[in-house]
Every structure is written in C-alpha cells, then in structure tokens.
Amino acid sequence: MKNILKLLKATYELKKPPQKNIVFFDITFANLIASKFKIKPDQYTTICSRLERINIYILIKSLFFFSFKFNLFNYYLEFIKYTNAKIVITLIDNNVTFYKFKQYLPHIKFISVQNGHRTENRDWFLILKKNSNFRKILKSDIYFTYNKEYGNKINQYINCQIKPIGSFKNNFV
C-alpha cells in the first residue's frame, strides 16, 4: 500500500535515461558529492530510490524483462544496466537493496558512504542480524565509514573493502 501511494505521488519521466558513467543511487546528497568532486551534471544520472521520479521507459522495460512481475529491485537493476554505469554511488548506506546489485552487476563498481551514526541495537543492524545469509549476498566494492570499528562490524554482514574517512559531510566544513 505504501509503495502504491508513492507511485501515485511520483513524477513520471517519459524519455529514456541518459547513459552515464556515474549513477547515484538516491537523489539525497548526489548534488553534494557532485559539487565536492567537481562532477558535472552531464556526467551522472540519479535513481530516485524513494520513487520521487519514475522513468516510464525503464518501468516498461523491467516489466517485459521480468515477465510482468514488478518489484523495485528489478526496476533499479534495469535502470543501472541501461545507463551503462561504471560506478554506482550512494550516501544512503543503510539501504539493504543497494548491496544486492553487485551480485548481478559484478563489472560495475559500487561505492557506499556512511552518512549517519549507526548502533548495533537499532537502525539497520536489526535487519542485518535477522538474515544470516546476508554476508553471502550483500556486497559493495568500497564502503567509506566513519571509523574502523564500524567498518569491522559492518563487514560481518556486507562483503566490502572498508575505508574509514570520518564523516564525509563534515570533512568539507
């Protein structure tokens, strides 16, 4: 029901998404990363993972490819494949869906950046602890974390290379 409401509120795009080397998974902080690393708007595109914007072409393509069984994961996967991305980046590091893409698109670099404090007894650790198979499924090439301790903890659930950098956003203040 929640996703149906999101679909009704979404903006719809009719044209095909542009083919870009960089895809941001979630629009949140995409402009921040792009501006800090001087990535021009014509060098990247964005997947609106909260369904703020839906690309009709990709929606139809994913429906046909996956035998008319719609789910968000298939839509995102088709979007990434269509753009010919070399790198997919997210600052929404607690979105489990992001870490499932690597097994289907091993040739693409997936980078996640921790954007908030996480504790073991709440937030997404509760989701990660529920599924003991996540270590086999969830992957990212690089995960930039606040510190080494958090990186060691997250590496129990996500197969990735940890790079402690502190707070990405605070590093630019």
Side-chain angles (χ1 to χ4, degrees):
M1 185 66 170
K2 192 192 261 187
N3 282 340
I4 292 171
L5 288 174
K6 285 182 179 180
L7 288 172
L8 293 173
K9 292 180 180 180
T11 302
Y12 291 91
E13 239 177 14
L14 295 175
K15 62 183 179 179
K16 296 176 184 179
Q19 297 196 344
K20 305 288 180 174
N21 287 335
I22 301 169
V23 171
F24 288 107
F25 183 75
D26 200 274
I27 200 163
T28 305
F29 304 117
N31 290 338
L32 174 69
I33 295 173
S35 67
K36 296 301 179 189
F37 290 100
K38 297 182 181 19
I39 303 170
K40 296 176 184 158
D42 64 342
Q43 295 175 307
Y44 69 89
T45 191
T46 305
I47 297 174
C48 292
S49 68
R50 299 167 204 223
L51 301 178
E52 304 97 320
R53 186 177 67 233
I54 298 170
N55 186 286
I56 297 294
Y57 178 80
I58 296 298
L59 179 65
I60 292 168
K61 193 170 163 79
S62 66
L63 284 172
F64 279 112
F65 189 76
F66 295 103
S67 305
F68 293 96
K69 295 177 185 169
F70 176 75
N71 71 43
L72 290 175
F73 181 79
N74 293 343
Y75 171 80
Y76 302 145
L77 193 64
E78 197 59 38
F79 192 104
I80 294 168
K81 287 194 300 190
Y82 183 81
T83 62
N84 286 326
K86 308 254 186 299
I87 301 169
V88 180
I89 304 168
T90 190
L91 263 89
I92 308 303
D93 65 298
N94 58 348
N95 185 329
V96 174
T97 301
F98 177 81
Y99 301 98
K100 294 178 182 178
F101 295 134
K102 185 70 177 174
Q103 66 181 326
Y104 298 97
L105 304 167
H107 59 286
I108 297 174
K109 291 276 185 207
F110 288 88
I111 300 169
S112 53
V113 181
Q114 182 181 355
N115 78 355
H117 292 286
R118 311 278 181 241
T119 63
E120 246 187 288
N121 298 319
R122 54 173 224 169
D123 197 30
W124 78 315
F125 274 108
L126 297 176
I127 297 166
L128 294 173
K129 287 179 182 180
K130 284 183 185 178
N131 192 332
S132 60
N133 290 328
F134 271 163
R135 179 76 172 125
K136 297 174 194 164
I137 299 169
L138 303 182
K139 296 178 171 110
S140 182
D141 290 288
I142 300 171
Y143 194 144
F144 292 105
T145 62
Y146 281 11
N147 56 54
K148 187 176 179 181
E149 291 75 26
Y150 177 77
N152 290 338
K153 182 58 75 178
I154 206 66
N155 224 336
Q156 294 173 18
Y157 305 99
I158 300 171
N159 184 2
C160 58
Q161 182 182 6
I162 299 296
K163 299 278 187 182
I165 60 166
S167 170
F168 176 80
K169 292 181 280 186
N170 287 348
N171 286 343
F172 292 104
V173 176

